[in-house]
Amino acid sequence: MPREYVFPFSAIVGQDRVKKALILNAVNPGIGGVLISGEKGTAKSTMVRGLSKLLPGMEVVDLPLNITEDRLIGTIDLEKAISTGKKFFEPGILAKAHKNILYVDEVNLLSEHIVNSLLDVAQSGVNIVEREGISYAHKAQFVLVGTMNPEEGMLRPQFLDRFGLYVEVKGEGDIEERKRVISRRIEYERSPEEFIRQYQKEEAGLAQRICTARNVLELVEVTHDIIKIAADIAKQANCQGHRADLVLVETARAIAALEGRKNITIKDLKEAAELALPHRTRPQPPQNTEVPEETKEEESTREEQERQEEENRQEQEEEDGLPPQEETRQRDNAHNGNEPEEQSEPFPDKIEEKKKEAPFQEDRIDEPGEIFSVKPIQIQPFERKDREGSGKRSKTKTSSRQGRYIRYRIPSDKVTDLAFDATLRAAALFQKKREKNALAMAIEKSDLREKVREKRIGNTLLFVVDASGSMGANQRMRSTKAAILSLLNDAYQKRDMVGLVAFRKNSAEVMLGITRSVDLASKNLRELPTGGKTPLAAGLFLGYEILKARQVKDPDMVPVLILVSDCRANVALHAGDPVEEAKELGRILRYEGINALVIDTEKDFIELGLAKEIAEAMGAKYYKLNQLEAFEIEGVVRNYLGT
Amino acid sequence: MSIKRTVYPFCAIVGQDNMKKALILNVINPALGGVLIRGEKGTAKSTAVRALAHLLPEMNQVADCIFGCDPLDKSSMCESCLTRTKNGEALPVVAKKMQVVELPVSATEDRVVGTLDIEHAIKKGEKKFEPGILARANRNILYVDEVNLLDDHVVDVLLDAAAMGVNNIEREGVSYSHPAKFILVGTMNPEEGDLRPQLLDRFGLAVDVRAESDTEQRIEVVKRRLEYEANPAEFASQYNKQQAELAARILQAKQKLNQVKFGERILELAARISIEIGVDGHRADINMIKTALTMAAFAGRSEVVPADVLEAAALVLPHRMRRRPFEESILEFSKVEEIVKEYEERSIA
């Protein structure tokens, strides 16, 4: 459908940085595109679509989320194959995108295999097709433009780096600007034709400016000095690889060209850095003190944000009528005697003593600390032979007819899920020579293709949380809750199922059955009180029961038990040593093929390291709580689930 | 394909005024972007949506177009209608009722977006596009019961189309695009899990429904239901007059809509509410004004008044409140009321 009526680019109120980034790419496709990230309803897509009307000799080619591999890369031309019996290549979106803008709305929702194909081509600028008996290659150099809402999850670093520039959009805060946004939109909707006409002159002017700048671009001189400064900026921002330097120079060139200048200034480079570096800047190594201005600014805003959030949180607490943190801590210290904070936990030989005093401890509810975003860590899944139930998972992946048809393959066995289109395409080639027996098409066994589907695996995360008295000390529950909430945040983006089990006093309790509502889980977690002894085995046993029951219901799901505890078990499920009993249960979990993570909350002067032992028994990945806070937890789960 | 069934009359639904109003407003002004109805089980959510079908006005469409294009609106025509118009061809016009097109939760992606017509490919050796649910939904109401249970892939596709008003298909050898402007109506039970914020924002309005708490009203609900089940046709006929009146009112409002005016101050009011309440992006403000315009039209007025904005805010804001992860978004509506009150006082002074 031709998009004849689009909201004019020049009629968009504000959003100057995004507009500039788009225009710069139009002037100099060598910049490598732009990723526009921002909250909903901030005219992200409107801007890109508006741009399409401004580009002389350039098109905006859409890459819809429903795209299949054959339409992206190109495939055999079905019609020609049937009518002529010859192989012709039918180009896909990548061919259309050559020398144009390739636009992906909601780029973070694109499925993995499409991203992979895209990365491949974006890198080389050439699309090489080797499929269905077709061998073909064509140039595919395009400006990649994506929009995304970060609430839905981020992009892989590799993909992120493909975008030359990165801009964040926000809603307008100024009331006059906002008024203008509303009235223009309503005017447009009431009469698109009339509205577009009003902006015709402005649009033509902008198009002319882009055109002129394109001609100037070739004349802009890139001196050795400029390259050196660009390299310095990129180095100081601690960017990976050399793409940052290159993009800086290309962007600065476009900025100069747009202003009709033939020389690049430091100011151009600074402006370019604001667009080219945000998504490439990595945290500074500690020894490095020099930071380029832009990053400093960013950091200070981040600090400002954090401070703000801290304030909000405190306000919240006051509203809730909870005692201020300081008092709570004092009470704890008084309770544990005058030992320094680091040692406020009982020594190992005092466990007995603690057991006695535990029941007298009052229940308390800790507010969670700040939620943090979390990044990947590698983890090896269980080996197949260790998991009895694992065969089922891979089997359902192919035989199940649910899920999204991503590609096809030549079947090895009997076909249960026929890929009609691919089969027809395969058969089409031979129609001229085959005996048709009054049928329109003759299909032979060798033509059959079956569908390969991508199925969402039922990911189920069960948090088994220690809520015993020891967790209440030292604000431990605060950081524990923060860590779990951060994991829940990720689970939300991946739309996982979650559940929550807590153990304390003498038993374990289901705080929340397996549900899709992450909101509910976080609510229950917030309200989770701590106090009493540590019945670890009971917690593990309950967790095991819930996950097994769930597995019966949904054999495809990948069960993951996340144990959050210091594992100082002091209540047995039956009789005997509580720690040994927990280890035994851990071994059962492992044998049953339940993936596990252990998050060790031990934070004492003398560490017992029990959690590590239990993690070993469970065959679980082991993390200390403070490692999570170092932004390093979510990947644990993600990698598990991705395998 | 449609299964004929007697439908419970819209006017016979007891209470649930907010829900009914939100649905009616969308019928008057399809540009409002649909409505999300959240509530417990058994609160007449689905009944109301299905009942709406009978109130839907007729509209002109190109008779032989599968997408039911508007013969006068070039901005959202399918390629074939557009080409025909450009070639000076007079398009055959027919008046048809707007429809409620259901999207079952189990629908697969290919049925939603459309796919290659296999039969045609085999018989003729030609590629032909077989339209999906989105094609039928163009200019109609797309109804998703239990929208929060929809498969993620289908949600993505739906978002794509809802955002652009166009369905772009690039799959399995088919490259095609057609208009897909629809009123998205979804129902959900929040206990079953939440909706992604992105999809949430696509719904123009949101209403929360609860069971009636008034005993008299509850009795009335049961009584009418029993009466209806005993003799549907007879029951429905009792409401014929009411239904016809409402349909006529909707039609009038529809015609009036484009003449309704709003002043600079009304604009300011909407912008101020959005800023002070702290919503994401601009969709809330824009929708607030559009909803207020539609309300004025429904009330037969030709000018938006502050009370319209207040009422619109109640429908536009609840699902758009900015929130930190996992905090419940509670709309402090008293704040909106204060802003409107302050505004009115200033106007008098």
Side-chain angles (χ1 to χ4, degrees):
Chain A
M1 206 182 105
R3 217 180 261 143
E4 299 221 347
Y5 296 85
V6 292
F7 193 87
F9 192 78
S10 342
I12 292 159
V13 180
Q15 311 294 11
D16 296 331
R17 269 162 73 107
V18 188
K19 284 197 255 181
K20 183 97 183 236
L22 286 170
I23 291 172
L24 291 175
N25 269 291
V27 171
N28 181 8
I31 293 171
V34 53
L35 176 62
I36 306 167
S37 165
E39 54 188 43
K40 327 166 264 280
T42 42
K44 299 187 292 288
S45 324
T46 311
M47 277 185 271
V48 182
R49 270 176 243 145
L51 184 74
S52 65
K53 295 280 158 192
L54 290 177
L55 303 172
M58 229 177 169
E59 252 185 281
V60 173
V61 176
D62 277 310
L63 194 158
L65 291 178
N66 64 44
I67 196 163
T68 51
E69 225 173 331
D70 61 322
R71 280 305 308 147
L72 180 71
I73 294 167
T75 183
I76 188 168
D77 188 323
L78 176 76
E79 274 181 37
K80 282 200 181 130
I82 291 181
S83 54
T84 66
K86 282 188 187 141
K87 286 190 277 192
F88 282 96
F89 178 68
E90 186 187 17
I93 290 285
L94 287 175
K96 252 201 242 175
H98 181 52
K99 291 192 163 175
N100 288 315
I101 289 178
L102 184 62
Y103 171 47
V104 194
D105 195 13
E106 311 282 356
V107 64
N108 49 341
L109 301 181
L110 213 54
S111 61
E112 196 85 336
H113 71 285
I114 295 290
V115 170
N116 291 341
S117 311
L118 207 56
L119 274 176
D120 222 28
V121 179
Q123 197 152 23
S124 59
V126 180
N127 178 28
I128 302 166
V129 188
E130 291 291 351
R131 45 194 285 159
E132 301 165 84
I134 291 251
S135 181
Y136 194 87
H138 66 80
K139 275 194 177 174
Q141 286 158 340
F142 48 82
V143 178
L144 189 60
V145 175
T147 53
M148 61 173 272
N149 176 357
E151 281 175 296
E152 302 278 317
M154 275 307 285
L155 293 181
R156 277 156 56 189
Q158 210 188 350
F159 194 25
L160 198 59
D161 195 46
R162 281 293 145 211
F163 290 90
L165 312 179
Y166 177 89
V167 206
E168 269 178 23
V169 275
K170 279 202 179 67
E172 279 294 337
D174 180 72
I175 195 152
E176 287 305 314
E177 295 276 280
R178 260 192 119 103
K179 277 162 68 181
R180 214 167 317 151
V181 170
I182 310 172
S183 60
R184 285 196 188 168
R185 187 75 220 178
I186 290 192
E187 234 180 286
Y188 171 75
E189 283 183 20
R190 280 195 164 174
S191 171
E193 270 174 278
E194 169 65 20
F195 188 82
I196 290 167
R197 204 169 314 137
Q198 279 177 33
Y199 286 89
Q200 228 162 31
K201 213 175 136 201
E202 238 176 294
E203 294 276 284
L206 188 53
Q208 184 55 49
R209 244 187 101 197
I210 293 173
C211 232
T212 314
R214 276 185 188 168
N215 295 331
V216 177
L217 187 73
E218 293 308 314
L219 309 172
V220 177
E221 202 189 351
V222 181
T223 62
H224 179 76
D225 273 356
I226 288 295
I227 297 175
K228 192 174 167 294
I229 297 167
D232 270 351
I233 294 175
K235 208 176 103 194
Q236 282 180 21
N238 196 24
C239 295
Q240 214 165 5
H242 294 286
R243 193 168 283 129
D245 318 25
L246 208 68
V247 174
L248 269 176
V249 173
E250 292 290 357
T251 311
R253 259 179 84 202
I255 293 171
L258 202 60
E259 288 178 16
R261 279 185 281 111
K262 287 174 195 159
N263 62 310
I264 297 172
T265 65
I266 305 286
K267 202 175 139 271
D268 295 338
L269 276 175
K270 277 191 171 175
E271 195 182 345
E274 279 175 37
L275 298 168
L277 300 186
H279 59 307
R280 296 198 169 93
T281 307
R282 292 181 301 174
Q284 290 294 331
Q287 71 273 16
N288 201 342
T289 46
E290 257 319 295
V291 200
E293 234 174 294
E294 291 74 29
T295 351
K296 257 189 211 155
E297 260 172 37
E298 261 180 38
E299 263 172 25
S300 64
T301 26
R302 201 179 313 138
E303 268 165 31
E304 174 67 24
Q305 267 173 12
E306 273 165 17
R307 201 178 52 78
Q308 197 85 41
E309 273 165 19
E310 177 68 13
E311 268 173 27
N312 290 345
R313 193 186 55 73
Q314 277 169 3
E315 269 169 33
Q316 186 64 37
E317 268 174 22
E318 274 159 33
E319 273 167 29
D320 291 346
L322 284 172
Q325 287 295 331
E326 198 47 40
E327 257 177 56
T328 324
R329 204 177 300 148
Q330 274 166 9
R331 206 180 54 196
D332 279 343
N333 284 347
H335 188 77
N336 289 310
N338 281 332
E339 286 163 9
E341 224 179 71
E342 287 294 302
Q343 296 181 35
S344 59
E345 277 298 290
F347 285 119
D349 52 345
K350 287 188 187 163
I351 281 182
E352 281 305 305
E353 193 185 309
K354 194 189 157 214
K355 234 194 226 176
K356 268 177 247 150
E357 80 179 313
F360 299 47
Q361 278 182 336
E362 263 179 59
D363 284 359
R364 43 176 283 163
I365 299 175
D366 288 83
E367 271 289 301
E370 282 308 319
I371 295 172
F372 46 89
S373 69
V374 277
K375 83 176 191 205
I377 305 178
Q378 286 301 322
I379 191 169
Q380 293 303 313
F382 282 114
E383 281 176 7
R384 293 229 175 274
K385 58 182 177 194
D386 285 345
R387 293 194 298 167
E388 289 237 303
S390 69
K392 270 184 193 164
R393 199 181 121 214
S394 42
K395 197 171 127 210
T396 44
K397 222 174 162 182
T398 53
S399 69
S400 143
R401 299 191 58 171
Q402 299 167 322
R404 177 189 189 137
Y405 169 25
I406 49 169
R407 58 200 154 81
Y408 49 84
R409 63 171 166 221
I410 298 171
S412 53
D413 202 8
K414 225 177 119 184
V415 185
T416 52
D417 195 7
L418 188 72
F420 285 106
D421 55 330
T423 304
L424 288 180
R425 274 192 228 110
L429 295 174
F430 309 100
Q431 292 310 304
K432 285 217 150 170
K433 294 174 204 144
R434 277 188 193 160
E435 196 60 51
K436 296 209 182 73
N437 295 327
L439 291 168
M441 267 192 94
I443 295 175
E444 283 175 12
K445 199 172 171 220
S446 61
D447 303 328
L448 297 183
R449 300 287 183 271
E450 71 179 359
K451 287 181 177 174
V452 176
R453 292 178 190 263
E454 179 186 73
K455 185 178 178 335
R456 199 181 43 180
I457 304 163
N459 303 326
T460 303
L461 315 182
L462 183 67
F463 289 86
V464 177
V465 182
D466 185 346
S468 66
S470 63
M471 292 291 291
N474 283 341
Q475 297 206 16
R476 246 205 250 174
M477 204 54 189
R478 204 175 113 78
S479 30
T480 303
K481 282 185 179 180
I484 301 174
L485 280 176
S486 307
L487 280 166
L488 282 172
N489 196 8
D490 184 62
Y492 171 74
Q493 287 176 352
K494 306 283 170 321
R495 267 82 69 190
D496 293 324
M497 307 272 275
V498 291
L500 189 62
V501 164
F503 57 92
R504 62 188 209 114
K505 291 182 175 166
N506 290 312
S507 61
E509 191 191 345
V510 182
M511 301 292 293
L512 180 74
I514 303 290
T515 168
R516 266 190 87 140
S517 176
V518 172
D519 265 358
L520 224 51
S522 73
K523 210 173 144 209
N524 286 0
L525 179 73
R526 277 169 196 278
E527 288 161 7
L528 177 66
T530 45
K533 291 185 278 187
T534 314
L536 176 60
L540 288 177
F541 185 66
L542 187 57
Y544 165 78
E545 278 190 322
I546 291 172
L547 286 174
K548 281 316 268 187
R550 191 74 208 176
Q551 234 174 359
V552 172
K553 235 171 128 181
D554 179 9
D556 292 353
M557 75 142 191
V558 180
V560 183
L561 188 145
I562 303 175
L563 175 65
V564 188
S565 172
D566 58 10
C567 294
R568 294 187 168 189
N570 53 20
V571 180
L573 195 55
H574 305 291
D577 183 63
V579 175
E580 281 309 316
E581 198 186 27
K583 281 189 198 164
E584 186 50 42
L585 268 166
R587 282 187 280 270
I588 294 173
L589 282 163
R590 177 184 200 158
Y591 178 75
E592 292 281 349
I594 292 172
N595 305 292
L597 290 180
V598 172
I599 296 168
D600 186 358
T601 61
E602 190 171 55
K603 201 177 162 186
D604 301 307
F605 188 63
I606 292 179
E607 298 192 341
L608 295 183
L610 291 173
K612 192 148 205 174
E613 290 176 28
I614 288 182
E616 271 161 26
M618 290 166 88
K621 259 283 175 188
Y622 167 85
Y623 290 94
K624 298 280 291 182
L625 189 61
N626 57 10
Q627 284 178 306
L628 314 184
E629 290 205 68
F631 300 86
E632 285 190 315
I633 177 62
E634 163 247 25
V636 180
V637 179
R638 182 182 295 170
N639 288 332
Y640 245 139
L641 308 175
T643 49
Chain B
M1 185 192 71
S2 66
I3 300 160
K4 266 279 171 221
R5 52 184 165 197
T6 322
V7 173
Y8 193 88
F10 193 79
C11 293
I13 296 166
V14 180
Q16 312 297 10
D17 295 329
N18 264 344
M19 171 174 69
K20 286 194 276 189
K21 183 126 189 205
L23 288 169
I24 290 171
L25 292 173
N26 268 292
V27 175
I28 297 171
N29 184 3
L32 288 187
V35 54
L36 175 66
I37 306 169
R38 297 185 287 203
E40 317 157 1
K41 300 169 276 276
T43 42
K45 299 189 294 285
S46 304
T47 311
V49 180
R50 296 207 171 95
L52 190 67
H54 283 247
L55 293 174
L56 295 173
E58 287 196 333
M59 53 187 189
N60 279 339
Q61 44 182 264
V62 178
D64 51 1
C65 175
I66 43 171
F67 311 109
C69 284
D70 180 347
L72 296 177
D73 179 13
K74 274 189 278 178
S75 69
S76 57
M77 251 181 209
C78 72
E79 207 159 347
S80 129
C81 288
L82 197 63
T83 320
R84 287 163 76 188
T85 312
K86 279 187 177 162
N87 293 342
E89 194 182 323
L91 299 170
V93 176
V94 67
K96 262 192 198 160
K97 262 200 168 194
M98 214 174 169
Q99 284 178 307
V100 176
V101 176
E102 283 199 40
L103 193 158
V105 168
S106 62
T108 53
E109 199 177 329
D110 59 330
R111 282 305 305 139
V112 177
V113 298
T115 184
L116 180 74
D117 185 334
I118 298 286
E119 200 181 307
H120 192 87
I122 294 178
K123 284 189 182 144
K124 301 271 171 69
E126 280 167 10
K127 274 196 283 193
K128 198 182 137 206
F129 174 67
E130 185 180 306
I133 292 173
L134 288 179
R136 273 197 290 140
N138 187 38
R139 301 185 70 212
N140 288 314
I141 291 175
L142 184 64
Y143 171 50
V144 194
D145 196 11
E146 310 280 2
V147 63
N148 49 338
L149 302 183
L150 217 52
D151 187 81
D152 276 339
H153 289 312
V154 177
V155 170
D156 292 345
V157 165
L158 208 57
L159 278 175
D160 229 19
M164 296 200 270
V166 173
N167 179 25
N168 265 327
I169 303 110
E170 292 288 349
R171 10 182 325 128
E172 296 160 38
V174 179
S175 176
Y176 197 85
S177 87
H178 67 76
K181 275 192 173 167
F182 46 82
I183 304 172
L184 188 61
V185 176
T187 59
M188 64 177 271
N189 179 356
E191 285 167 29
E192 305 264 353
D194 30 36
L195 216 53
R196 284 156 55 186
Q198 191 85 12
L199 183 58
L200 206 53
D201 195 50
R202 279 293 156 206
F203 287 96
L205 316 176
V207 285
D208 290 299
V209 288
R210 263 171 292 272
E212 282 293 338
S213 53
D214 181 73
T215 316
E216 287 302 310
Q217 293 275 62
R218 283 191 90 106
I219 293 170
E220 190 60 29
V221 170
V222 179
K223 232 174 77 185
R224 288 196 191 171
R225 191 75 220 180
L226 290 177
E227 237 178 275
Y228 169 74
E229 274 166 24
N231 190 345
E234 157 75 28
F235 180 82
S237 69
Q238 287 173 31
Y239 289 88
N240 277 349
K241 195 166 158 250
Q242 249 178 296
Q243 295 268 104
E245 273 168 17
L246 183 56
R249 244 186 103 192
I250 290 173
L251 202 64
Q252 265 169 16
K254 227 175 148 62
Q255 284 154 357
K256 198 172 180 83
L257 185 63
N258 255 337
Q259 289 124 46
V260 181
K261 291 187 174 58
F262 60 94
E264 177 80 2
R265 314 270 324 258
I266 289 288
L267 209 55
E268 180 161 338
L269 185 59
R272 173 147 293 154
I273 291 171
S274 284
I275 290 175
E276 293 200 15
I277 290 291
V279 291
D280 277 353
H282 294 278
R283 218 167 262 139
D285 328 20
I286 294 169
N287 252 336
M288 217 183 301
I289 293 288
K290 282 202 271 187
T291 310
L293 280 167
T294 316
M295 279 175 169
F298 189 49
R301 275 183 279 110
S302 49
E303 175 112 29
V304 176
V305 295
D308 293 328
V309 180
L310 183 67
E311 211 182 326
L315 296 171
V316 165
L317 295 178
H319 58 304
R320 291 203 168 89
M321 300 301 300
R322 185 181 292 150
R323 55 175 194 176
R324 294 169 63 204
F326 314 113
E327 278 179 7
E328 271 180 86
S329 56
I330 297 160
L331 173 62
E332 288 171 64
F333 202 68
S334 55
K335 207 167 160 187
V336 181
E337 280 167 344
E338 250 169 59
I339 298 167
V340 176
K341 208 175 129 203
E342 188 198 321
Y343 166 89
E344 281 179 315
E345 276 163 7
R346 266 194 303 137
S347 308
I348 296 165

